[in-house]
Amino acid sequence: MPERYWLGAVLSIVGGAAVAGGAVLATSGSAKAVKPPVVSPAQQADEAERALWRTKPVDQVFPATVTLGSQYVRLGIAPAAACDVLPQDFRLELATDAPGTTCVKVLRATYTDITQTVFATVGVVVIGGDAASRDKVWRQWTPDAASKQPDTMPEVFPVPHTVAADFADSQRVAWNSQASNDGSYLVYVVSAFGDGRSGVADVQFGIGKDLAADSPPVQAASGLSQLFADEFTNTEKG
């Protein structure tokens, strides 16, 4: 089965259950026609957007190369993960900013620029909940700045047998996050210097001097998070 799809082929039993669920039941020898619920174009677009993480080939979710001033090369992709890979404070912040939403799945990949100056783990958090609740993610999600909230900063994804094989949380110096415009996807980027040097003194405890805005890890965190979030923009949302 091609690895490029998150869920692979749809199981036949699921299709059977859907057919059975839509069937009209007959009682006392007679059947009463039931009209299917009317689904608005906006709702259809919303459902299609929310399914992108399962229907898009993985190379479209995480392209092999990304251009953002410099060119970034994908080093590896992690298996789709449960939400407990995110820090507890991250999940609590999401519940606070957007009550009624849930974390469904976390997709991750690690990139480096062509000079290997920066390592960056890109995470895509799939958000569940109704449209009004998910809209709060886009409008109210706030944690997106490096050492000021270190307990909320997600972990990095080291990629075996690559230059980022030893990529570790202790190297993290910056992070940023952006939501898609309908709140269905929350993209974060955690970045570091490729050679392991620190740009923030003891980022784990939130002390020290912030990196300059033009520092490569800061540019990677802010630029990549926006770029990937834009890939999930819902063009049907007004």
Side-chain angles (χ1 to χ4, degrees):
M1 188 176 296
E3 187 177 347
R4 66 195 187 101
Y5 293 96
W6 288 113
L7 289 186
V10 178
L11 297 176
S12 59
I13 190 171
V14 175
V19 172
V24 178
L25 298 179
T27 58
S28 302
S30 64
K32 183 179 180 180
V34 178
K35 292 183 179 180
V38 177
V39 180
S40 69
Q43 185 177 349
Q44 290 177 353
D46 181 61
E47 291 176 354
E49 197 71 27
R50 295 174 68 188
L52 281 178
W53 74 276
R54 291 184 286 119
T55 57
K56 264 190 175 187
V58 68
D59 281 340
Q60 291 183 22
V61 177
F62 294 120
T65 60
V66 173
T67 301
L68 182 72
S70 177
Q71 187 176 65
Y72 289 81
V73 179
R74 189 189 69 206
L75 297 176
I77 301 172
C83 298
D84 57 5
V85 298
L86 296 171
Q88 184 178 16
D89 282 14
F90 186 109
R91 288 174 278 150
L92 288 174
E93 191 72 37
L94 179 60
T96 299
D97 287 353
T101 60
T102 58
C103 171
V104 176
K105 196 68 70 176
V106 182
L107 317 175
R108 295 168 296 162
T110 290
Y111 287 79
T112 186
D113 65 320
I114 56 175
T115 65
Q116 297 180 9
T117 300
V118 173
F119 293 157
T121 291
V122 179
V124 178
V125 182
V126 184
I127 305 295
D130 60 34
S133 297
R134 285 182 285 115
D135 188 62
K136 296 174 186 174
V137 179
W138 180 53
R139 296 182 185 278
Q140 299 177 190
W141 173 256
T142 54
D144 56 338
S147 60
K148 295 176 182 177
Q149 295 187 334
D151 292 335
T152 312
M153 188 185 299
E155 297 176 352
V156 303
F157 166 56
V159 185
H161 313 297
T162 71
V163 292
D166 297 322
F167 191 19
D169 289 344
S170 59
Q171 294 175 249
R172 298 174 298 182
V173 295
W175 83 292
N176 200 293
S177 57
Q178 302 287 338
S180 64
N181 68 339
D182 67 349
S184 294
Y185 301 93
L186 179 56
V187 177
Y188 67 81
V189 177
V190 181
S191 59
F193 286 105
D195 60 9
R197 64 192 142 117
S198 177
V200 177
D202 212 344
V203 69
Q204 297 267 24
F205 297 96
I207 59 176
K209 184 179 180 180
D210 287 345
L211 290 169
D214 61 353
S215 176
V218 174
Q219 291 184 322
S222 59
L224 289 174
S225 60
Q226 187 64 66
L227 187 150
F228 276 84
D230 287 346
E231 289 299 311
F232 290 101
T233 292
N234 188 339
T235 56
E236 297 295 324
K237 181 179 177 182

